[in-house]
Amino acid sequence: MPPLLDSQRVPHVGEGGRADYRQFLMQPTPRAYALARNGAWGWAAAIDNDAQATANRALENCAAYGGSDCRIYAQDLAVVWPGAATPAPVAPTAPLAGGAGWSLVPDDRFLWQGAGAARGAYLWAHGRAAGGADSRGSQPQPHARAFNNAGYDVLRLDRDPETDETEAGARRMRLALAALRARGYDRVIAAGQSRGAWDALSALDAPGRADAVIAIAPAAHGPTGSPAHAWALDDLSRIVAAARAPTTRVAVATFAGDEYAPDPPGRAAAFARLAPRTGALLLLDRPTGLQGHGAGGDARFTLRYAACLLEFAEGRRQGC
């Protein structure tokens, strides 16, 4: 286990501080965990997407908890505590595969091991932003930390918004999954949000591409009011009917109030039809307290379902 992930190595704090450290390890970067010799601690994550502001907030939180000599113990992927410092592993800087309009990119905001040592590969596909904004480089949702902390390498499928049409996205997902298999990853997870999730579901049309698919708020037809909503359910039904993945475990999460998801009951019924066409189905249909298209990035979703998704993807159900 990398020292960063070992909560028992955290000095001075009691079990409460170590439990909170484990919550810290599920946070997006930038992030920082601070502690004091008297047992106080505090952490912060993603403050203005600024590493120094985040570290300062962690120190402030530690001081507010009663620490008089607070110092940073861990920052991002590294332990920085004097005498116990452990640098973050270095991910490759170049894409592992790619072509016109797409690239398969190791995400350096996650711990990296490489195909020979990693438990598997977790491939994240971003959504297609409104107005053609460029989503390349966007950080995978925090539930991916559960996979990374369990030993999976995390990679992004980055797509050029100028050429990111639906069929092209699905084709690029298939190519990226094949590239990961060719790299030697024994276990491959295809995951995504919105259009990225739609692309991951599209890859179910042949066996063996992925060991599991995690589709968070899948969508490909624009927001409420888009003329494409008229055929959204039909297109989803075609993806379901095309599924031929008898060993792939599929988890789908949908949310109440999602403007990109017309006819929620009809969609739930369509997703349910994946069960006999795949290895197993976990349908998180409009869970209580989570609202909107981006609810998969909510800390409450991470807390409630990250461990569950890992357990399900690996063939266990007790985490769910």
Side-chain angles (χ1 to χ4, degrees):
M1 176 188 295
L4 175 77
L5 301 181
D6 189 353
S7 63
Q8 295 305 310
R9 288 176 177 255
V10 181
H12 304 306
V13 302
E15 184 49 40
R18 293 190 175 94
D20 214 22
Y21 182 76
R22 292 190 287 272
Q23 291 299 318
F24 160 77
L25 292 174
M26 292 298 298
Q27 305 307 310
T29 62
R31 60 187 186 180
Y33 183 97
L35 56 82
R37 285 177 294 180
N38 67 350
W41 74 89
W43 59 263
I47 303 300
D48 299 327
N49 200 33
D50 183 300
Q52 189 58 57
T54 300
N56 290 343
R57 182 71 58 82
L59 291 167
E60 292 168 5
N61 291 340
C62 174
Y65 194 61
S68 59
D69 59 344
C70 296
R71 300 182 66 171
I72 300 297
Y73 172 77
Q75 189 164 21
D76 293 340
L77 305 180
V79 175
V80 297
W81 190 256
T86 306
V90 179
T93 57
L96 299 190
W102 70 279
S103 56
L104 176 62
V105 183
D107 196 306
D108 62 5
R109 294 163 293 199
F110 293 80
L111 295 168
W112 182 263
Q113 297 185 71
R119 188 166 175 168
Y122 175 99
L123 174 63
W124 176 257
H126 58 75
R128 187 178 187 189
D134 195 339
S135 296
R136 288 176 291 186
S138 55
Q139 189 165 176
Q141 288 183 344
H143 76 262
R145 299 280 167 190
F147 289 82
N148 187 233
N149 294 349
Y152 285 78
D153 286 342
V154 175
L155 305 99
R156 302 189 316 271
L157 175 52
D158 281 352
R159 311 182 310 276
D160 185 338
E162 293 188 3
T163 60
D164 190 25
E165 300 304 324
T166 305
E167 288 304 315
R171 183 171 62 253
R172 291 161 180 170
M173 171 63 71
R174 297 181 186 108
L175 291 170
L177 292 172
L180 290 171
R181 293 292 193 198
R183 282 269 171 176
Y185 285 101
D186 292 332
R187 186 182 285 121
V188 175
I189 312 295
Q193 191 266 346
S194 192
R195 242 293 302 287
W198 188 274
D199 294 345
L201 291 172
S202 298
L204 293 170
D205 62 349
R209 286 195 172 118
D211 296 283
V213 165
I214 298 174
I216 308 297
H221 295 80
T224 300
S226 167
H229 267 203
W231 59 85
L233 190 56
D234 287 342
D235 284 353
L236 175 59
S237 295
R238 278 191 283 273
I239 285 179
V240 170
R244 301 288 188 276
T247 62
T248 303
R249 304 174 68 79
V250 180
V252 179
T254 68
F255 304 104
D258 184 350
E259 64 174 338
Y260 289 82
D263 189 5
R267 280 165 53 92
F271 289 130
R273 294 196 294 272
L274 281 169
R277 298 174 175 275
T278 59
L281 175 68
L282 174 65
L283 178 56
L284 305 174
D285 182 29
R286 292 165 286 172
T288 303
L290 294 164
Q291 291 276 330
H293 193 56
D298 190 305
R300 292 170 295 178
F301 180 86
T302 306
L303 182 63
R304 198 183 304 176
Y305 295 116
C308 163
L309 293 171
L310 173 63
E311 294 285 318
F312 175 77
E314 294 196 334
R316 302 180 299 279
R317 295 299 293 269
Q318 60 265 34
C320 300

